[in-house]
Amino acid sequence: MFDFDWSIIDQSLPLLSQGVMVTLKITLTSIVLGMAIGTILAVARISVYAPLRWLSAAYVNCFRSVPLVMVLLWFYLIVPQFLTKFLNLSPLTDIRLVSAMVAFTAFEAAYYAEIIRAGMNSVSRGQNYAALALGMTKSQTLIYVILPQAFRVMTPLLLTQGVILFQDTALVYIIGLADFFRTATNIGKTTGYEIEMVLFAGAGYFVVCFCVSLAVTVVKKRLKL
């Protein structure tokens, strides 16, 4: 029914590789910073200080209650000037890329916070009491006893959330950022091979996500979770 011509893919590899780099920049930046901020939020949510619990809960509930596409539009349409001044960005910087990174980081931090909080709560209280009995401070107990055990339990969930994040990066299409998906579709529209390029993009996302999913299964077995 369709007469596919896959030669366009080979011709477009230089442009596609640029799109892949944009997707990877957003994904990796959001994972690293999202987990860092998520850890802080998770610790704040179990803090003995009520204001910290309230603020972290408000942040998490706010971002978990709003669609990601709306968060992207907020950061792209409302705060680009703020980002430029606050981060002291060069005029040559692609504000769309920075906006996307900040939006994804802020959004994913809320989800990582809940995953990390659940992991911390899964560590038995006996571990905490034992560490305190040995003379460790609460901060030392958290850093050297609770978090290492929590992250061991959370590893499969963190990897799965990373897969979801990688898939969601395709949403930067709406702000005109040339990630892997948008680059593929633009090439398809320009050359008349839109079906081939969309299928290729879909295959690319499938391969990456399927491989990481297999890795999650292997990790679960090795950790005996």
Side-chain angles (χ1 to χ4, degrees):
M1 184 170 58
F2 293 106
D3 184 17
F4 295 120
D5 183 359
W6 302 106
S7 62
I8 185 62
I9 295 173
D10 185 56
Q11 300 171 18
S12 306
L13 285 179
L15 284 176
L16 289 171
S17 62
Q18 294 178 17
V20 170
M21 290 305 299
V22 171
T23 296
L24 290 178
K25 284 179 181 179
I26 297 172
T27 302
L28 296 178
T29 300
S30 302
I31 288 176
V32 174
L33 296 182
M35 286 181 60
I37 298 173
T39 301
I40 296 172
L41 291 170
V43 172
R45 290 209 68 179
I46 61 174
S47 171
V48 295
Y49 301 103
L52 285 179
R53 295 200 306 273
W54 296 337
L55 288 173
S56 60
Y59 180 97
V60 170
N61 291 328
C62 174
F63 279 96
R64 283 170 61 90
S65 301
V66 178
L68 175 55
V69 65
M70 187 174 294
V71 176
L72 281 169
L73 289 174
W74 282 349
F75 280 89
Y76 178 62
L77 297 176
I78 300 177
V79 297
Q81 296 301 321
F82 170 78
L83 289 176
T84 301
K85 294 179 181 178
F86 181 75
L87 299 178
N88 194 26
L89 300 177
S90 165
L92 300 178
T93 302
D94 188 349
I95 192 63
R96 294 172 299 178
L97 178 59
V98 177
S99 297
M101 287 179 175
V102 174
F104 271 96
T105 297
F107 188 84
E108 292 299 322
Y111 285 86
Y112 280 123
E114 288 298 274
I115 294 173
I116 295 170
R117 183 169 70 98
M120 293 170 64
N121 288 335
S122 70
V123 179
S124 66
R125 293 185 178 181
Q127 299 281 338
N128 184 57
Y129 298 146
L132 294 175
L134 291 172
M136 298 179 71
T137 64
K138 290 185 177 180
S139 297
Q140 290 174 328
T141 301
L142 176 66
I143 296 172
Y144 298 114
V145 178
I146 305 300
L147 285 178
Q149 295 184 68
F151 272 97
R152 178 181 180 275
V153 175
M154 295 182 299
T155 298
L157 288 176
L158 293 174
L159 289 174
T160 300
Q161 186 62 33
V163 171
I164 296 172
L165 169 58
F166 174 73
Q167 295 171 337
D168 286 344
T169 57
L171 289 176
V172 298
Y173 184 96
I174 65 167
I175 62 174
L177 188 59
D179 69 323
F180 175 56
F181 178 68
R182 185 176 180 87
T183 299
T185 54
N186 284 346
I187 292 173
K189 290 178 181 177
T190 303
T191 61
Y193 293 98
E194 191 168 5
I195 296 177
E196 286 87 346
M197 296 309 301
V198 170
L199 289 175
F200 176 73
Y205 282 102
F206 172 80
V207 169
V208 173
C209 295
F210 182 72
C211 289
V212 176
S213 296
L214 290 179
V216 171
T217 302
V218 172
V219 169
K220 283 184 178 180
K221 289 181 178 179
R222 292 196 174 184
L223 295 178
K224 297 180 180 180
L225 298 176

